[in-house]
Amino acid sequence: MAASAEPASGHELRATGFWNEESVVLDADRAPASARWANRAGSLAYRADVGSARLDLTAGLSAYRANLPLQPSREPPAALPPALLASAATDRVRVVGEVTWGPPAAPMRAGLSFERIAERFAARPISGGPAAENGGTGRALGAFLDVTRPLAPGLVLRAGARADNFGGGVTHLAPRAAIVWEVGPEALVTVAAGRYHQPTRASEQQVERSLAAFADNGTDAPAERLPVATADHVVLSLDQRLGSLVRMGLQGFWKGYRGLPAASRESVRSSGVDVRIVTAGDGKAAWLGYGLSWYWSSVDLSGRASEFAGRHLLSAGLSGRLFGPFEAETRVAYGAGLPYTSIPFGGADFASSLTSTTINQSGQPRPGETSDGVALVEGLDETFLRLDLEIHALFEPTWGGRTWRVRPYVRILNALDRRDALFYTYQPWRSDSVRPLAARPVIPLLGVAFSF
């Protein structure tokens, strides 16, 4: 849903809203009939010309809710924990105000922002009883300044800095800069570098330990505030048009991370390349992409820090009109780890960020089954193939003086193996940790989208 208005000359007001809710019927004897998830989002934007400057004010909020029943094993041990209903919720509020002034070729931009993120997950017995909850809330107040200056014909510099306070006494400073070179009328080269800070999520390990503790004795793990992590990046990219219908993008990057929740004592590095080719015209579009990335630690965690782990991903898609109001889109993705590389990390804190430790009913790792380099490599080497298909139609009836956009669709999600399953179950008395919930690889979805 979207609406706009112009209350006066030089003033513009826009509002958008989004709502959806979906569910999957489960074949579960002792659990509710379905798993449900929903998204809510809304924004309000105001733009005004104030003298020779432009003022932009934006406020947005979003919410996510999900409920998933966790059914006990059909062949349980003597002490069977009750069936649980796991739920998760994420709420975000963001307000930004900025002012832009100066000539179009060399503008300056300054502004303030406020953001609040709240995350919560919970588990309670389906038959009734106390609930265990865990989560955190993060707040960020920031100020930024960006300057754009031409250095020479076809060469532009953008530079700036941002300061953020995340609710504590320390203010984080993040500089950034980019040089854009117009190599020719159809090609741009960009070199960018900078730093950013943001709150991070609790790891899956923390969630599993909380559920395990609750299933064992009804107690909950202590809630933790969302920690703030830092990342530095350097990016080199080429954007080029090949003919009138084909566009190619090539990008290489390097990133360094500090303060990750599951690797608070280590620094993590990553780098990689991305290639994308897009062609569009006459109501049809096709794209092809390939990405290669690898990760390593900046400290010697095991005596062999020169080894690393990597993944590559190939994706492609095709969309176009079938007949009348009907259109179709198909997407295919293939991903795999690089089997000739590995990270033999011995640090459980770092390994737990990429894989799960097997936990017994006491909430402790089973003897001999800790998170180590073998489990980490298995997660990165996992291969998946996915093929999705969607057919939709677009109708634009007029009702109440407005033109509505009604978009019914049929979507088929085809996860051909364990990866990218929509839901996973965690049962602490099993030895294999998380299990995919859906046994069938093909999941059809029916829906209708409205906008006006």
Side-chain angles (χ1 to χ4, degrees), residues 188-190 235-240 247-253 272-277 290:
L188 286 177
V189 173
T190 303
V235 179
L236 173 63
S237 62
L238 168 66
D239 192 359
Q240 184 171 5
R247 188 170 182 173
M248 181 191 72
L250 176 63
Q251 183 181 94
F253 66 88
V273 293
D274 291 297
V275 181
R276 64 186 184 279
I277 300 175
Y290 177 76

Side-chain angles (χ1 to χ4, degrees), residues 240-242 244-249 275-281 284-289 317:
Q240 184 171 5
R241 188 178 298 275
L242 306 175
S244 59
L245 299 178
V246 181
R247 188 170 182 173
M248 181 191 72
V275 181
R276 64 186 184 279
I277 300 175
V278 180
T279 178
K284 298 179 177 62
W287 61 93
L288 175 67

